[in-house]
Amino acid sequence: MTSFDARSVAEIDNLDDLYSVFDDLSVEGGWYRRAPALWPEPLRNFLPYVWRYAEMKAVLDAAGRLVDHEMADRRNLTLTNPVEGNGYATVRSLVAAYQLIRPGEVAPAHHHTPAALRIILEGRGTYTVVDGDRVEMRPGDVLLTPSWAWHEHSAVGPDDCYWVDILDVPLVHLLEPMFFEKYPAGVQEDPRDIDTSPIAFRWEDSLACLAAETAAPEHGMAEREIELGSPAMPTIALHVQELGAGFESPTRRTTANSIFTVIEGSGETIVDGERLTWERGDIIAVPAWRPYQHIVSEPARMVRASDEPVFSVLGLLRSEKV
Ligand code: 1HN
């Protein structure tokens, strides 16, 4: 920074000279910006994308042969949105990952300010311990790890276990309050075995609640829909959606960002004109304000994770049919 000379600034008599002092002072003229600060509607930033479970599973299996838990802590593949310049997030505020844990392995305890949840895809005999409560995780279950909760995972059965992690890490990156700590003892001592817990949404309960729904949701993007929690966590909402064979949703867009995990069925989602086909276990990124429509081939159930609660509480949630 050069020294500020008020007298020479007072003598400036043309715009070029005025602009030339801006950089030195780290200011910009609101009328003379290099990049606009406001625009009429959300930009197309993050890209619509689908990650295929069949491919991810093959990669995880290879990692399972080459990377043990001593080395990995968590053996997961984070899903990096392919938009230029992005190195981490799946959509603006959320990151998703596929994780594999093999029989006998323990992913040691840690906690962090980002909130997390797991959606179990495959494998029996896997447990998570959240703040001292040891909960079995079965396919279709959704398990929450709220901000700052201690959590570790283990597999004790005969199966390789695969699940999807979704976290609000990119939101915490944006806002800066990142804290992370490993549990000093490695694993939590004397966990309590419990089966019902406010952090565990069981698949059989989701199915029963879906079956009890009489009306379709107002937005029309599914034939039946339930919410897990209200919302599940302060930054992440979770909805389980049921879409029958042949179902065609309207085309809608919302300012919230969504990650869909396909629990069963197959179909395609047309996101901003791009046709993304999907089947069981696949993950679909639907970024903010991209119009999207589901077209279903085989009866489908999916979990939509979104940052809707953040938008609601800030007065920024807008959705519309297009
Ligand atoms: C994490 O802590 C877990 O605890 C999984 O299983 C995925 C992705 C990004 C950052 C932290 C876990 C994660 C993660």
Side-chain angles (χ1 to χ4, degrees), residues 148-166:
W148 211 235
W150 291 108
H151 56 286
E152 69 200 53
H153 321 301
S154 60
V156 301
D159 296 345
D160 287 340
C161 296
Y162 302 82
W163 68 72
V164 173
D165 299 294
I166 297 177

Side-chain angles (χ1 to χ4, degrees), residues 74 76 78 88 95 97 99 110 112 118 151 153 165 167 169:
R74 300 292 190 267
N76 59 25
T78 49
Y88 188 69
V95 66
Q99 182 162 174
H110 64 206
H112 35 67
R118 289 155 239 299
H151 56 286
H153 321 301
D165 299 294
L167 301 92
V169 175

Side-chain angles (χ1 to χ4, degrees), residues 74-107:
R74 300 292 190 267
R75 186 191 293 109
N76 59 25
L77 300 171
T78 49
L79 310 185
T80 311
N81 191 285
V83 66
E84 204 183 317
N86 177 51
Y88 188 69
T90 305
V91 292
R92 174 64 76 194
S93 63
L94 301 171
V95 66
Y98 286 99
Q99 182 162 174
L100 164 65
I101 185 162
R102 309 199 64 195
E105 290 181 334
V106 177

Side-chain angles (χ1 to χ4, degrees), residues 177-217:
M178 180 64 77
F179 295 90
F180 167 76
E181 197 175 24
K182 292 184 179 220
Y183 193 73
V187 296
Q188 297 164 78
E189 304 88 347
D190 306 317
R192 293 174 293 276
D193 273 305
I194 54 168
D195 196 53
T196 50
S197 160
I199 62 119
F201 297 95
R202 299 300 184 188
W203 185 237
E204 59 271 20
D205 295 336
S206 292
L207 290 179
C209 291
L210 280 170
E213 276 300 311
T214 46

